[in-house]
Amino acid sequence: MSEQTRAQARRVVVVGAGMAGVQTAVALREQGFTGTVTLIGAEPHQPYDRPPLSKAVLLGKAEGSAFDVDFEALGIDLHLGREVTGVRTRDHELDTEAGPVPYDVLVLATGAEPVTLPGAEGVPGVHLLRTLDDAERLRPVLARQHDIVVVGAGWIGAEFATAAREAGCAVTVVEAADRPLVGSLPAEVAAPMAAWYADSGAVLRTHARVRRVEPGAVVLDDGSRVPADAVVVGIGARPATRWLTGSGIELGAHGEVVADDHLRTSAPDVYAVGDCASFPSGRYGERLMVHHWDNALQGPRTVAANIIGEAVGEAPAVYDPVPYFWSEQFGRFVQYAGHHASADATVWRGDPAGPAWSVCWLREGRLVALLAVGRPRDLAQGRRLIEAGTMMDPELLADPARQLKAATA
């Protein structure tokens, strides 16, 4: 048997049937892999896309968001409703509820799971919004126009509050920090977004830490009670990797799988991709953990190329994307590209009190990140400028009437 034939006869097992897992399986086939591809998902549903859950599915405008993928035609062996409980890397074997599954190459794509509110687990009327089942449980709550308290003013909290207001619910968002999006954006950028809540008819309460949830109310640390027929918790997500404890696969400080710049883990023949993994970025000089849809779309192409290339001795592909995400909230389309942590200058384009504006972050004169509110052209051009490492002229950049690509140094 030739080396090429042996390479194509291998068994690839992908754990996690969300975007990252599905795209890995599809990319393997698209790139010509002819070995066995097995995709294992914990949920019983056909694999589905998550962004519509907080929008069309939640509001009853769509029944689901299943991926348009013919797994059978692609020769992808799909196992749904199967929990994976562990992995023995030395034996190249997964442990599942239905028995062991051998692999030649393993891809970890288990995503992230929502952080729960301490003391609220199992309390009637308390909801998370991560899965299709979560969205279906919440849909009748919105239809009945209940009083809803959202815990957490992050991206998911804002998106859910938007949908709940559209459905006619009274919405109060409680946030322990002093502003929305405290872990995602600098204070001066997040501050203008606080006004969006009131504009939509939602109430935003900052410095509001939840003490406990009671039937019909949320009790805050200052003793005040907020009426609540339902409570939706959106206080973050963590990598779904607890099943890897004791496996010998290196996990990082946040419980994420530590991958290298080829998305390989510390264990031989094991890759990690999507929300469950971090990777070193040469572009930004630090390790990134990106919990966004685009990362789960782009990473699988690198994983598939490296699985195929490694077997035939090709140089591995490096994964170093410009992170990107978007959010639809309170009638605004918000887009972000890059990573602003190492920036040394900030340039505003337009009035943040208005309907359309952007913020650009520079490092040593080069654009490293951009947030665009209602300015999709800024985002599209900015993303390309970030990828190219183009030098910018801050004075030209500050003119919102000037195209970004015409603001180079």
Side-chain angles (χ1 to χ4, degrees):
M1 186 185 292
S2 71
E3 184 180 358
Q4 182 81 33
T5 305
R6 251 195 322 272
Q8 293 290 13
R10 291 178 308 158
R11 301 162 297 182
V12 176
V13 176
V14 182
V15 183
M19 170 64 87
V22 167
Q23 289 298 324
T24 299
V26 170
L28 282 164
R29 292 300 189 222
E30 287 180 345
Q31 295 181 30
F33 181 75
T34 58
T36 301
V37 178
T38 301
L39 182 61
I40 301 175
E43 293 183 56
H45 311 290
Q46 276 293 113
Y48 60 88
D49 203 6
R50 292 191 189 278
L53 298 186
S54 62
K55 304 172 184 74
V57 175
L58 192 60
L59 291 169
K61 296 176 181 178
E63 284 305 311
S65 55
F67 292 115
D68 185 17
V69 175
D70 190 333
F71 295 99
E72 188 175 352
L74 288 171
I76 296 168
D77 192 10
L78 197 57
H79 295 276
L80 300 175
R82 180 180 292 193
E83 197 77 40
V84 176
T85 56
V87 57
R88 286 169 284 115
T89 57
R90 196 171 290 177
D91 299 331
H92 279 56
E93 220 167 43
L94 277 178
D95 291 319
T96 79
E97 293 173 322
V101 177
Y103 66 85
D104 295 311
V105 180
L106 177 64
V107 181
L108 308 175
T110 46
E113 57 193 9
V115 175
T116 56
L117 185 64
E121 298 95 329
V123 176
V126 176
H127 301 263
L128 300 168
L129 179 53
R130 184 73 184 178
T131 68
L132 181 59
D133 289 339
D134 292 337
E136 289 179 345
R137 279 190 288 268
L138 276 164
R139 193 154 58 183
V141 174
L142 267 60
R144 289 194 292 268
Q145 298 186 334
H146 279 173
D147 288 346
I148 295 177
V149 170
V150 180
V151 183
W155 299 111
I156 192 67
E159 290 183 2
F160 178 81
T162 299
R165 286 298 301 140
E166 189 176 327
C169 300
V171 178
T172 302
V173 180
V174 296
E175 168 58 55
D178 61 350
R179 61 184 185 275
L181 298 166
V182 70
S184 303
L185 295 174
E188 68 273 17
V189 179
M193 299 177 174
W196 299 355
Y197 288 78
D199 289 347
S200 76
V203 175
L204 173 63
R205 295 185 59 171
T206 56
H207 299 285
R209 191 174 295 276
V210 175
R211 180 185 295 173
R212 64 181 181 275
V213 179
E214 297 178 347
V218 171
V219 181
L220 303 178
D221 253 3
D222 62 3
S224 61
R225 297 165 59 85
V226 184
D229 297 312
V231 178
V232 177
V233 179
I235 55 175
R238 58 173 164 244
T241 58
R242 280 180 285 194
W243 65 281
L244 291 170
T245 303
S247 67
I249 295 172
E250 184 185 354
L251 301 179
H254 303 284
E256 84 282 9
V257 181
V258 175
D260 67 9
D261 59 354
H262 310 303
L263 298 180
R264 296 177 301 205
T265 73
S266 62
D269 304 314
V270 181
Y271 292 79
V273 67
D275 289 7
C276 72
S278 67
F279 57 90
S281 170
R283 186 189 309 277
Y284 292 106
E286 62 181 282
R287 180 166 286 276
L288 300 182
M289 185 168 64
V290 182
H291 281 189
H292 294 297
W293 185 90
D294 192 65
N295 180 50
L297 175 68
Q298 305 294 341
R301 296 167 187 164
T302 300
V303 170
N306 287 339
I307 289 172
I308 295 167
E310 187 176 43
V312 295
E314 291 181 1
V318 170
Y319 187 61
D320 194 8
V322 172
Y324 166 75
F325 71 89
W326 81 96
S327 176
E328 294 177 271
Q329 50 183 269
F330 308 119
R332 293 165 175 86
F333 186 46
V334 184
Q335 295 172 284
Y336 178 96
H339 181 65
H340 65 264
S342 62
D344 54 31
T346 304
V347 179
W348 291 78
R349 288 169 56 80
D351 180 2
W357 49 276
S358 297
V359 181
C360 300
W361 287 272
L362 306 177
R363 183 181 65 215
E364 298 176 352
R366 301 181 194 277
L367 189 64
V368 293
L370 180 140
L371 176 85
V373 177
R375 290 180 67 97
R377 180 184 285 180
D378 274 8
L379 191 287
Q381 294 182 8
R383 195 174 182 181
R384 288 192 289 269
L385 292 165
I386 294 168
E387 287 171 350
T390 306
M391 293 292 293
M392 307 300 295
D393 182 320
E395 284 191 29
L396 299 179
L397 195 59
D399 179 2
R402 182 183 294 271
Q403 290 194 45
L404 270 176
K405 65 183 181 181
T408 56

